[in-house]
Amino acid sequence: MAARHRKRRRAARVMRGCTSKVRYRSLASAIDAAVRHALTWYRCPYCGGWHLTSRARRKPRRRR
């Protein structure tokens, strides 16, 4: 019973996390899109592809 529940929860996470986002097959294409939109990218643990974050890339801190 508990194993079936875990499988459903994992499937829901995958669906919510991957299917609603654009998947980039290569790191190069993810970086290209991220630079255009000022976002960062990450490797998805569920689908193995690359996605962009929803938050803007931070500017590096300036040293004094």
Side-chain angles (χ1 to χ4, degrees):
M1 175 100 168
R4 188 169 51 160
H5 181 68
R6 279 193 298 266
K7 284 183 181 180
R8 279 192 199 157
R9 288 186 65 192
R10 184 177 188 284
R13 277 196 309 265
V14 171
M15 182 179 229
R16 182 176 58 242
C18 293
T19 59
S20 64
K21 298 177 182 177
V22 176
R23 178 181 176 205
Y24 298 94
R25 292 181 184 255
S26 70
L27 177 59
S29 60
I31 291 172
D32 183 47
V35 168
R36 280 186 274 129
H37 299 290
L39 299 173
T40 57
W41 59 92
Y42 65 95
R43 180 94 179 186
C44 180
Y46 300 111
C47 70
W50 297 89
H51 299 294
L52 302 181
T53 60
S54 59
R55 295 185 182 172
R57 204 173 17 177
R58 288 178 146 187
K59 292 182 180 178
R61 286 185 171 179
R62 292 178 53 183
R63 292 188 172 193
R64 293 180 186 193

